[in-house]
């Protein structure tokens, strides 16, 4: 099973990708997480990445493509499959992924698009806090920590991602909206696009994804 999970920032791609990966016993790769790990170090690449990520802008395609190529060739091609979260972000990246897979006689199975309205996303992202130690995500609105700014699980400090500040959030959503239409057409033409309402209870959204994947697979067989 090879999947990409598409949707605006804050729609819950990470959470759903985790559930999907667990359900199908496949790997979950998030380009955002991979970049944030690199940012923790102090290399030439981390300096370059920070310039884009902190401002909420897309990292250049050549860096992203190289990251995906390396990630998938490390273990992705040997596993039962993967779900990519946060990639592709534009048409160039979508075509790059197809080329990469074509070279190893593989194909993408489905592109899942989680829909959500812009206004809901701004509030969601502005209230998001991440544990600086274990990476668990909290929402000050929906699942706040028991103690202010402290992770319930590991006691780590909860921080706000720089790109979750209000001005940057809106910029990220607008970039998504501009880049997404061509990707949507591309996957629709390939007949692998699944669209699901991303707003609602996490388990309900997940069940809708599963139902759609199942009917997509049945249609194909
Ligand atoms: P995310 O965690 O997916 O919201 O990603 C955080 C940031 O990493 C984005 O705002 C971009 O700056 C960068 N990023 C992640 N994935 C990509 C991608 N596929 N293409 C370009 N930039 C990306």
């Amino acid at each position: 099973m090879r999947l990409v999970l598409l949707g605006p920032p804050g729609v819950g791609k990470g959470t759903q990708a985790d559930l999907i990966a667990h359900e199908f016993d496949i790997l979950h790769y998030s380009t955002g997480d991979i970049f944030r790990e690199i940012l923790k170090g102090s290399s030439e690449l981390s300096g370059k990445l920070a310039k884009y990520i902190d401002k909420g802008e897309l990292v250049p395609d050549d860096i992203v493509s190289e990251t995906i190529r390396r990630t998938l060739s490390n273990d992705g091609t040997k596993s039962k499959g993967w779900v990519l979260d946060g990639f592709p972000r534009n048409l160039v990246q979508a075509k790059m992924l197809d080329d990469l897979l074509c070279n190893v006689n593989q194909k993408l199975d489905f592109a899942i698009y989680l829909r959500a309205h812009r206004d809901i996303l701004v509030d969601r992202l502005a209230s998001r806090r991440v544990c600086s130690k274990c990476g668990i995500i909290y929402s000050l609105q929906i699942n706040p920590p028991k103690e202010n700014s402290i992770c319930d699980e590991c006691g780590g400090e909860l921080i706000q991602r720089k790109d979750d500040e209000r001005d940057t959030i809106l910029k990220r959503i607008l970039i998504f909206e501009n880049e997404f239409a061509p990707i949507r057409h591309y996957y629709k033409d390939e007949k692998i696009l699944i669209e699901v309402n991303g707003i609602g209870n996490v388990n309900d959204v997940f069940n809708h994804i599963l139902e759609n994947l199942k009917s997509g697979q049945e249609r194909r067989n």
Side-chain angles (χ1 to χ4, degrees), residues 35-203:
F35 291 147
R36 278 184 288 278
E37 269 310 303
I38 298 173
L39 283 181
K40 287 182 187 164
S42 56
S43 58
E44 195 187 325
L45 180 58
S46 65
K48 237 185 199 176
L49 289 175
K51 280 201 291 190
Y52 299 96
I53 295 177
D54 290 351
K55 285 192 277 177
E57 290 170 8
L58 290 185
V59 170
D61 289 333
D62 56 336
I63 300 180
V64 182
S65 297
E66 186 48 32
T67 305
I68 283 292
R69 189 172 289 119
R70 221 175 319 116
T71 303
L72 296 186
S73 63
N74 274 349
D75 48 12
T77 45
K78 294 186 204 99
S79 72
K80 283 191 200 167
W82 35 254
V83 52
L84 301 182
D85 138 26
F87 179 95
R89 288 285 233 278
N90 59 28
L91 195 56
V92 171
Q93 295 182 8
K95 289 185 175 170
M96 175 266 160
L97 179 62
D98 274 358
D99 288 346
L100 189 68
L101 292 175
C102 182
N103 287 340
V104 286
N105 287 324
Q106 293 181 346
K107 266 179 76 184
L108 192 62
D109 290 298
F110 294 102
I112 304 162
Y113 166 40
L114 296 181
R115 273 191 320 259
H117 196 274
R118 188 196 287 184
D119 299 344
I120 297 172
L121 300 171
V122 177
D123 287 341
R124 263 198 189 192
L125 285 171
S127 78
R128 178 162 72 177
R129 296 293 180 277
V130 186
C131 174
S132 55
K133 218 161 137 195
C134 71
I136 289 186
I137 294 171
Y138 293 83
S139 158
L140 299 183
Q141 290 175 332
I142 302 163
N143 65 328
K146 292 190 187 103
E147 235 184 288
N148 200 12
S149 301
I150 308 257
C151 177
D152 294 347
E153 299 297 323
C154 75
E157 186 198 0
L158 300 188
I159 52 166
Q160 183 175 37
R161 276 170 47 174
K162 260 195 189 150
D163 57 353
D164 278 347
E165 288 164 15
R166 274 189 187 265
D167 290 352
T168 317
I169 291 172
L170 206 54
K171 187 166 163 188
R172 288 163 61 207
I173 293 174
L174 290 175
I175 291 176
F176 169 80
E177 289 174 354
N178 280 337
E179 300 288 350
F180 183 62
I183 308 184
R184 183 161 175 255
H185 281 124
Y186 182 72
Y187 288 132
K188 212 170 178 184
D189 285 349
E190 294 201 349
K191 300 192 172 28
I192 57 169
L193 184 72
I194 286 174
E195 289 200 20
V196 174
N197 178 7
I199 298 304
N201 174 284
V202 168
N203 288 324

